[in-house]
């Protein structure tokens, strides 16, 4: 009778390659927002907004939390409709932890709005009551409360109900990005709302679909492939909506005749250019994964896993770059 070794069991649960990939993604998620503002502003003559690295890092966590949680709810619904899916063997839920991370990131962002001095030295510099007197303050409070509600929903008997408070977070971010002083702010907020929602479902949904495929690779490989295929069909629409709304939003902030110059001469344009390149790479990996997914031979049920995993990594970097966009000076609207 063979005796299993404890070390082998641990190795199966946490493969070294996966641990290294998670570590690399964590480093990228920290380096991009912390050092990105200075790199993007280099030589542009633009002034760095106060606390840009901290704001970019917090919004990276916030965007990632929304993406992970929304994507989990989305693909979990897709998996329920797959015939032969093992109901009791779904991947562990990351939604509650994502809600906690979002809550922890939203709190400092709300506190930053409450600070009445650039470098507060006393507790009275925090004007908590002033949060209710400003539009931005109310939006940050909405995000804090929404993440708390999403965490409670994720722990309830109806975890999919977390989609409502998560939608409130996305709406608050869309409104925050387009203040009333901007021309046609409701149009801008609407475009950002669709853009953020589709991008979150694209990135977070792929993460959960791959977790499901890997979880079912032995017990139900065909069902895992069906889940990834169901996600891929919707992801094509999500990508199209993300690309269209992103392009229109860019043209609203950068007149067509100035786009080429601003992509290299302004911090916002440089960060946007990096984001476009990352999205293009992710789209290429998505096409490769879809091609392999359609093949019945040459790699088995996990043939699409490697390019799709690369797509997740690239999208994770794109989330960090998207957060960096919120921390650099925005070009004046058209």
């Amino acid at each position: 009778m063979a005796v299993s070794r404890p070390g082998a069991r641990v190795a199966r649960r946490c493969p070294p390659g996966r641990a290294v990939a998670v570590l690399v993604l964590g480093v990228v998620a920290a380096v991009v927002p912390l050092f990105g503002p200075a790199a993007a502003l280099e030589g542009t003559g633009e002034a760095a907004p106060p606390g840009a690295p901290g704001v970019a890092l917090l919004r990276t966590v916030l965007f990632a939390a929304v993406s992970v949680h929304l994507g989990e709810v989305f693909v979990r619904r897709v998996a329920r409709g797959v015939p032969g899916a093992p109901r009791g063997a779904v991947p562990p839920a990351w939604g509650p932890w994502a809600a906690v991370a979002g809550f922890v990131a939203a709190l400092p962002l709300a506190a930053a709005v409450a600070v009445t001095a650039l470098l507060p030295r006393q507790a009275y510099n925090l004007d908590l009551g002033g949060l209710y007197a400003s539009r931005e303050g109310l939006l940050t409070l909405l995000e804090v409360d929404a993440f708390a509600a999403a965490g409670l929903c994720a722990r309830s008997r109806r975890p999919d109900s977390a989609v409502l408070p998560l939608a409130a977070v996305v709406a608050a971010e869309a409104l925050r990005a387009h203040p009333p002083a901007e021309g046609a702010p409701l149009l801008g907020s609407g475009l950002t709302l669709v853009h953020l929602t589709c991008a979150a479902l694209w990135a977070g949904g792929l993460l959960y679909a791959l977790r499901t495929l890997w979880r079912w690779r032995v017990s139900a490989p065909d069902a895992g492939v069906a889940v990834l295929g169901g996600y891929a069909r919707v992801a094509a629409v999500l990508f199209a909506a993300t690309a269209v709304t992103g392009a229109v939003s860019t043209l609203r902030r950068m007149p067509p005749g100035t786009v080429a110059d601003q992509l290299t001469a302004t911090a916002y344009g440089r960060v946007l250019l990096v984001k476009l390149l990352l999205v293009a790479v992710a789209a290429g990996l998505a096409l490769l994964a879809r091609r392999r997914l359609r093949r019945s031979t040459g790699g088995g049920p996990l043939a699409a896993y490697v390019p799709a995993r690369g797509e997740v990594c690239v999208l994770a970097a794109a989330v960090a770059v998207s957060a960096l966009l919120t921390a650099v000076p925005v070009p004046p609207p058209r």
Side-chain angles (χ1 to χ4, degrees), residues 109-295:
L109 291 172
V113 177
V115 171
T116 58
L118 183 59
L119 294 174
R121 300 180 183 273
Q122 303 293 338
Y124 59 74
N125 286 323
L126 287 175
D127 182 16
L128 297 179
L131 286 173
Y132 296 93
S134 68
R135 178 178 182 271
E136 187 174 0
L138 289 173
L139 291 176
T140 57
L141 284 177
L142 174 60
E143 292 181 354
V144 172
D145 294 340
F147 274 119
L152 294 175
C153 291
R155 290 292 187 183
S156 69
R157 294 182 178 180
R158 296 177 179 268
D160 289 359
S161 61
V163 70
L164 296 177
L166 291 173
V169 174
V170 176
E173 278 297 307
L175 291 171
R176 182 204 56 79
H178 299 276
E182 179 182 299
L186 289 181
L187 174 59
S189 295
L191 290 170
T192 302
L193 177 66
V194 175
H195 185 80
L196 289 178
T197 301
C198 293
L201 291 173
W202 178 18
L206 179 57
L207 175 62
Y208 193 80
L210 289 181
R211 292 179 61 212
T212 303
L213 177 62
W214 184 259
R215 183 85 170 186
W216 295 350
R217 68 190 185 281
V218 176
S219 60
D222 293 338
V225 171
V227 170
L228 184 59
Y231 157 82
R233 286 189 289 272
V234 181
V237 179
L238 296 175
F239 168 74
T242 301
V244 170
T245 53
V248 175
S249 295
T250 298
L251 293 177
R252 290 187 71 247
R253 284 181 166 167
M254 297 180 182
T258 67
V259 171
D261 292 334
Q262 293 199 51
L263 285 178
T264 56
T266 66
Y268 188 91
R270 291 174 178 179
V271 177
L272 180 61
L273 181 59
V274 173
K275 180 181 176 181
L276 292 175
L277 293 175
L278 288 172
V279 171
V281 172
L285 290 171
L287 289 175
L288 178 59
R290 181 180 288 252
R291 180 182 301 176
R292 291 189 178 183
L293 192 64
R294 290 175 178 174
R295 295 177 181 174

